[in-house]
Amino acid sequence: MNYLTDEQVVQLAPDASSLKAGRDLSQERKWLNFQSNERVLWGELQGSGKNPYQTQVDLNNTAFKCSCPSRKFPCKHGLGLLFLVAQKEGQIPSTIEEPLWVSDWMNKRSAKTHKVEESTEAVSPETIAAQAEKQAQAKAKRQEERYLKVQNGIAELELWLKDLVQAGLLTIPQKGIPYFERMAARLVDSQATGLAGLVKSFNKLDFVKNDDWQKKALEIISKIYLLIESFNRLDQLPPLVQEEVKARIGWNIQTKDLLDREDIDTIKDHWLVLGRQTTIEEGLTMQKNWLWGLKSQKKALVLNFSFGGMAIETPILPGTIAHANLAFYPSHTPLRATVKDYISTVDYLPEAISGSNSWDDVHTKAVDILAQNPWIDTVPMLIEQVRVVFHQGKYYLQDANETIVMIDAAVNQEQIWKLLAITGGNAVSLMVLYQFDSVIPLGIVQNYDYLLLD
């Protein structure tokens, strides 16, 4: 019989309390009966209820079952039964016959094990090919079903958007939050979550304090309409543009599927983790990590998600230099990536970084990117020799030509004070997120070092 040793039983205990309770129950006088045979050990123990607890242990493929209400696995009764066996050195009553409640459980386990063994037996190449074909057909069918769902959602969105424009921009503040939330919810049901997010952005407009909300509303409308038109002509677009459009709509590639593909772009580099933005909406936490490849000069955005407050585990930390291999999602302007292989963290910048020497140069580079991908609204940039200035109640970054760009209103006041305290009002090289009409400072680049501001 394959009895476990006392030390092996200890390793099975879920926690200290279960271990102690199991040892307490290993006293023979506490059990009404206990028996075993070549495959199973079982016993009955009177608990607080009317009927005794029925405990059983599969000896060949260690597994437990008990009729007690405990949520711990294995429970203290299963551990107690094993401790009893270990302490008696296997000298317990043995019988071939099993109670019905024991034989039923063991026969089901044996049938399942036999089924698994049959499924792992060698199969012919023809069978493998047929299975692969069947899986491919099932995948194609799922893709077609999703396409139809997205298509129906976009058709409804197009009518909704035309009604919104026909009514005029000045009617938007009167619509109220539920008006946009309902449309967003229908898009989520249609599996077009990216479009749903764009529709929700109407509710983030400040109609009171922001004088140019009409401009921002028109930008949202333009992006939505361009996505609608692009989807309606999807088969006429180049393959990589198709991938970008689908991703913007919310038709994303799963990370596992991405890493399994052989045609994806991968770049191994020392990646400076510029900063992180975290948002929480309806229980979903989204983490944006902005990276800069020191040799490749490639910019990257690594997204992580969690739901219900679960922690996000990621090897990349803001302000560090990660030696890693990134895999980029397919696009004609690849930006979003995932960490394929993480190698190490470097203590200092192994490469010198040079950036733009004026806001005009930054703007020109950003416009070039925007011309290729009109849905990109944030670009990480390095601007040299800029200082913080204060004008008419707002903070700006001023370049060597005295051109200023406003620091985004969403930037924490303490972050600006930290920048002022470090620089003393002097000009520095600064990593920023450029948003065309404002910037978000991320960190200072100085003497092969990077100082994170957040």
Side-chain angles (χ1 to χ4, degrees), residues 4-56:
L4 297 178
T5 65
D6 196 63
E7 291 76 12
Q8 289 172 318
V9 177
V10 170
Q11 295 176 0
L12 291 171
D15 53 40
S17 62
S18 294
L19 182 61
K20 182 179 183 301
R23 289 191 185 276
D24 292 342
L25 288 172
S26 64
Q27 302 300 317
E28 182 178 346
R29 59 181 175 80
K30 294 179 185 254
W31 291 88
L32 300 179
N33 62 74
F34 52 89
Q35 290 182 304
S36 73
N37 56 34
E38 291 293 335
R39 68 173 189 165
V40 62
L41 167 69
W42 69 90
E44 292 182 292
L45 182 140
Q46 186 63 54
S48 57
K50 178 181 178 181
N51 299 318
Y53 296 139
Q54 296 176 332
T55 307
Q56 46 202 315

Side-chain angles (χ1 to χ4, degrees), residues 160-217:
W160 177 89
L161 191 67
K162 288 180 178 179
D163 290 342
L164 183 68
V165 172
Q166 188 174 15
L169 295 180
L170 294 179
T171 65
I172 291 178
Q174 305 167 15
K175 300 292 185 182
I177 293 177
Y179 176 80
F180 299 100
E181 290 289 341
R182 284 193 296 270
M183 187 66 244
R186 290 197 287 273
L187 289 169
V188 170
D189 292 340
S190 300
Q191 297 183 296
T193 53
L195 282 169
L198 279 175
V199 170
K200 284 184 178 181
S201 59
F202 281 108
N203 286 330
K204 298 177 183 178
L205 298 176
D206 190 340
F207 305 118
V208 178
K209 297 181 181 179
N210 196 337
D211 295 334
D212 66 344
W213 68 263
Q214 295 98 330
K215 172 188 171 184
K216 293 185 178 298

Side-chain angles (χ1 to χ4, degrees), residues 193-314:
T193 53
L195 282 169
L198 279 175
V199 170
K200 284 184 178 181
S201 59
F202 281 108
N203 286 330
K204 298 177 183 178
L205 298 176
D206 190 340
F207 305 118
V208 178
K209 297 181 181 179
N210 196 337
D211 295 334
D212 66 344
W213 68 263
Q214 295 98 330
K215 172 188 171 184
K216 293 185 178 298
L218 189 58
E219 289 177 359
I220 298 171
I221 291 170
S222 300
K223 288 180 180 179
I224 293 174
Y225 187 70
L226 186 58
L227 271 177
I228 292 173
E229 288 298 298
S230 298
F231 182 82
N232 290 338
R233 295 169 173 79
L234 195 63
D235 57 348
Q236 302 174 25
L237 301 176
L240 288 178
V241 179
Q242 291 183 26
E243 296 278 6
E244 178 69 29
V245 171
K246 290 196 291 186
R248 293 287 171 175
I249 286 172
W251 197 332
N252 294 305
I253 301 173
Q254 297 294 324
T255 302
K256 181 182 179 301
D257 295 335
L258 175 75
L259 297 178
D260 288 341
R261 289 176 55 164
E262 297 181 356
D263 61 336
I264 60 171
D265 293 330
T266 59
I267 299 178
K268 183 182 290 186
D269 202 342
H270 287 95
W271 296 93
L272 175 58
V273 187
L274 306 177
R276 173 179 294 169
Q277 296 172 300
T278 303
T279 58
I280 302 176
E281 187 174 341
E282 296 180 358
L284 178 66
T285 300
M286 181 174 69
Q287 187 186 87
K288 291 183 177 181
N289 297 281
W290 296 95
L291 285 71
W292 184 297
L294 300 183
K295 288 184 178 180
S296 64
Q297 295 295 296
K298 178 71 178 176
K299 303 170 182 66
L301 172 62
V302 176
L303 298 181
N304 294 315
F305 300 91
S306 73
F307 190 77
M310 296 292 290
I312 296 175
E313 295 184 8
T314 175

